[in-house]
């Protein structure tokens, strides 16, 4: 079963996500002249605290005062609470640990792929304006998008900063995999949809029509 989305904001899961976010942002700062980080306010305190630990990063100006992150108190007992979560087989906790090992710097997407995503977004908006909420999305599911971009060298998950620098310089990285998508809707249509590979399930009307068609074929 996929982990619950509610678990993302609980206990050590927040700290693990803050750690991965901060490592990715640190890599961006080290490889780009300027960086804009867009994150949820629930992660701001944790990421800031972690990045301040890097002696090469200096805080020039803080817009708002930040309290310690929620997980800071858990460090005072030496991480025993988190150890219990790990030993207890917490589903999402262990998957986040594996994700951190597999993608210590997160995933990076090329500007060309970003433009394609924006085009898909605009096309989907036009379809919704025309056909309402039953409109077909103009993009496949995330795993298929990831496989496509990865196969074209537009999406990478670097293991090291050196790998990231090689990709940024234009080198193609081999052996890239898109990983898991545990929250993706895996209900596929029985027949190809109007837009191939969208992966979205039937609406009630479509399901009824498909059953009628199958019944007529069987007869």
């Amino acid at each position: 079963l996929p982990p619950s989305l509610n678990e993302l904001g609980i206990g050590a899961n927040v700290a693990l996500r803050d750690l991965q976010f901060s490592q990715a942002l640190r890599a961006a700062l080290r490889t780009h002249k300027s960086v804009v980080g867009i994150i949820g306010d629930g992660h701001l305190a944790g990421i800031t605290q972690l990045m301040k630990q890097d002696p090469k990063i200096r805080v020039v100006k803080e817009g708002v005062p930040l309290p310690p992150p929620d997980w800071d108190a858990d460090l005072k007992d030496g991480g025993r609470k988190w150890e219990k979560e790990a030993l207890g087989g917490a589903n999402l906790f262990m998957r986040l640990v594996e994700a951190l090992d597999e993608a210590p710097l997160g995933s990076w997407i090329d500007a060309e792929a970003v433009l394609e995503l924006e085009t898909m977004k605009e096309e989907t908006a036009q379809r919704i304006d025309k056909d309402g909420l039953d409109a077909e999305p103009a993009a496949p599911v995330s795993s298929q998008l990831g496989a496509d971009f990865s196969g074209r060298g537009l999406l990478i998950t670097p293991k090291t900063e050196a790998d990231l620098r090689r990709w940024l310089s234009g080198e193609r990285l081999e052996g890239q995999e898109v990983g898991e998508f545990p929250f993706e809707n895996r209900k596929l249509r029985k027949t190809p949809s109007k837009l191939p590979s969208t992966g979205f399930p039937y609406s009630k009307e479509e399901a009824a029509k498909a059953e009628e068609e199958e019944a007529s074929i069987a007869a």
Side-chain angles (χ1 to χ4, degrees), residues 185-197:
N185 189 341
R186 298 190 180 279
K187 293 182 180 180
L188 299 178
R189 295 178 181 273
K190 297 178 182 178
T191 57
S193 55
K194 297 176 183 177
L195 182 72
S197 303

Side-chain angles (χ1 to χ4, degrees), residues 14-88:
V14 180
L16 285 173
R17 295 171 68 208
D18 285 350
L19 179 59
Q20 188 172 40
F21 290 153
S22 64
Q23 289 181 168
L25 189 54
R26 178 178 177 272
L29 289 170
R30 289 171 56 86
T31 55
H32 293 72
K33 292 182 179 179
S34 62
V35 176
V36 176
I38 302 175
I39 57 175
D41 59 1
H43 294 286
L44 184 57
I47 292 173
T48 301
Q49 178 163 309
L50 289 168
M51 295 191 69
K52 283 182 177 179
Q53 296 177 12
D54 187 335
K56 295 182 180 180
I57 295 177
R58 181 168 56 93
V59 177
V60 177
K61 181 180 180 182
E62 292 188 71
V64 293
L66 294 173
D70 292 339
W71 48 259
D72 189 61
D74 293 337
L75 298 178
K76 296 178 181 178
D77 68 354
R80 293 177 183 175
K81 179 180 178 181
W82 298 352
E83 183 179 8
K84 290 180 181 179
E85 289 188 34
L87 294 176

